[in-house]
Amino acid sequence: MSIEELKKSVEEIIEEANKQYSNIDDEISLNEFKNNFLGKKSSLTSFFSMMKDVKSEDKKAFGEIVIKLKSVLNELYEKKRNEINEKKIDQRMKEEKVDISLPGREEKIGSKHPIKAVIDDIVSFMMSLGFSLKEGPEVETEVNNFELVNIPLDHPARDMQDSFSIDDNLVLRSHTSCIQARVMKEMRGDYPVKIICPGKVYRRDSDATHSHEFFQIEGLVIGEKVNMSHLLQTLTLLLKHIFGEKRQVRFRPSYFPFTEPSIEVDISCAECNGKGCHLCKNTGFIEVLGAGMVHPNVLRLNGYDDKKVQGFAFGIGVDRIAMLKYKIDDIKNFYSGDINFLRQFSKE
């Protein structure tokens, strides 16, 4: 098609479009207009298909004419569509009456549960340090829950944790360390490993500071040059993030079956600023978590060469952190479903 033939066709199309435009009065006729002039079988679409066969020297002029035609047709369509929508709104306003004397409906905005707020805060911070988030099932095998983290059948730690058994092989997990075991098995001795593992755990315990269900967050790092100084720095950064830069962090030797050496970690008491009070039992510090270097047995049990790599791990009781952060005296408040209690955290 020559340029002159195209111009003549375009004029005829615009003339026909204007005729149909004046007869459009509803959405059905509007859709017919769109199909006729802008649809896949329209002349406009065929013009675009012709572009590949147009002479090189005519392509620019040909394209400009076709694009201008498309703009004119689109403008007609949009103008009529807006007119029809305005008519529909006007008609609806006439038919529907609103009683403006009725009170408005109050939007009740909820908030994060304090446990959830603490988990999200810790996970977000640890991910900013390069940790990856990992999760696992709450029903675990005894092998994953105990044996692969260096707690064999006759180990006294099994009595210390007092788990809920489902059958001879399954338990409700008593800690999130079993997620670490799962990840290490999946890695098949590969490294580095740098994970943070939040989740609910279960133990037969119940008093003002303990519940039969509670939340933990485990951290695990494995690599060739991982050492205790990396662990101490990581925990210091984390605890100062949670409780503020002014809080002092203290490390004490301890015992855990899955780490060696092991440490307990304390923070200075916010109530007395480390001077000693009833809350910290006059010590000036409050215990917040346990940690240590991954026990060589744990590395070997999960497919790692303990002569080549080492790692550190830590476990945080989320409920305890939340109690200290928000000054809550009874852990059962977290699980009571008391709306008045939860409303206190609406800004969190």
Side-chain angles (χ1 to χ4, degrees), residues 37-273:
F37 296 100
L38 295 166
K40 292 181 179 179
K41 297 181 180 181
S42 66
S43 298
L44 176 66
T45 302
S46 67
F47 290 154
F48 280 111
S49 300
M50 293 178 190
M51 287 287 288
K52 63 180 182 298
D53 300 321
V54 176
K55 296 178 180 178
S56 299
E57 60 269 21
D58 292 337
K59 280 186 182 293
K60 181 178 180 182
F62 192 97
E64 288 176 350
I65 294 170
V66 174
I67 290 171
K68 185 175 181 180
L69 172 62
K70 182 179 180 181
S71 176
V72 170
L73 295 174
N74 270 325
E75 186 177 345
L76 288 173
Y77 172 76
E78 291 296 332
K79 184 178 179 181
K80 184 59 70 172
R81 187 168 72 93
N82 291 335
E83 288 178 6
I84 292 173
N85 286 338
E86 287 177 5
K87 285 182 180 179
K88 287 173 63 178
I89 293 172
D90 290 341
Q91 185 64 30
R92 186 175 176 184
M93 293 294 289
K94 291 177 182 178
E95 294 174 354
E96 297 180 3
K97 293 182 179 180
V98 179
D99 185 353
I100 61 173
S101 66
L102 289 173
R105 291 183 176 88
E106 180 185 357
E107 290 289 339
K108 295 183 178 179
I109 301 175
S111 62
K112 283 186 180 180
H113 191 282
I115 295 290
K116 175 65 173 171
V118 170
I119 290 175
D120 287 351
D121 183 39
I122 293 174
V123 169
S124 176
F125 180 76
M126 296 308 296
M127 291 181 73
S128 74
L129 297 182
F131 284 71
S132 299
L133 176 64
K134 296 291 182 180
E135 295 178 309
E138 294 179 17
V139 177
E140 261 295 4
T141 63
E142 290 210 358
V143 171
N144 285 339
N145 196 70
F146 294 117
E147 293 173 27
L148 291 182
V149 290
N150 201 36
I151 309 177
L153 185 62
D154 57 350
H155 199 289
R158 290 207 182 189
D159 296 329
M160 290 164 54
Q161 294 195 2
D162 205 6
S163 308
F164 289 96
S165 295
I166 296 176
D167 57 29
D168 291 340
N169 182 48
L170 296 175
V171 296
L172 294 179
R173 66 183 179 192
S174 57
H175 48 202
T176 46
S177 300
C178 46
I179 303 176
Q180 299 179 14
R182 284 177 170 270
V183 171
M184 285 189 281
K185 283 196 296 183
E186 289 174 6
M187 294 293 287
R188 299 178 181 272
D190 197 11
Y191 59 89
V193 176
K194 198 174 184 181
I195 57 172
I196 190 78
C197 315
K200 185 186 287 187
V201 298
Y202 304 84
R203 296 181 193 175
R204 294 182 60 189
D205 206 350
S206 183
D207 56 43
T209 58
H210 296 85
S211 170
H212 67 280
E213 62 175 25
F214 54 100
F215 289 84
Q216 277 190 344
I217 296 180
E218 300 271 340
L220 173 69
V221 174
I222 296 176
E224 288 188 6
K225 298 182 180 180
V226 178
N227 57 51
M228 180 66 80
S229 65
H230 296 141
L231 171 61
L232 302 185
Q233 179 67 4
T234 300
L235 295 180
T236 300
L237 289 172
L238 174 60
L239 292 175
K240 285 184 177 291
H241 168 76
I242 297 171
F243 295 105
E245 289 293 329
K246 294 182 179 179
R247 304 295 284 277
Q248 296 180 43
V249 181
R250 184 177 72 176
F251 303 99
R252 296 179 287 110
S254 186
Y255 164 77
F256 300 108
F258 24 78
T259 53
E260 179 62 36
S262 304
I263 58 172
E264 295 277 4
V265 187
D266 307 329
I267 58 167
S268 56
C269 179
E271 194 74 18
C272 62
N273 291 320

Side-chain angles (χ1 to χ4, degrees), residues 106 108-112 114 338-348:
E106 180 185 357
K108 295 183 178 179
I109 301 175
S111 62
K112 283 186 180 180
D338 186 342
I339 297 298
N340 291 326
F341 170 77
L342 296 175
R343 278 177 181 160
Q344 300 175 75
F345 309 97
S346 59
K347 293 183 180 180
E348 291 296 329

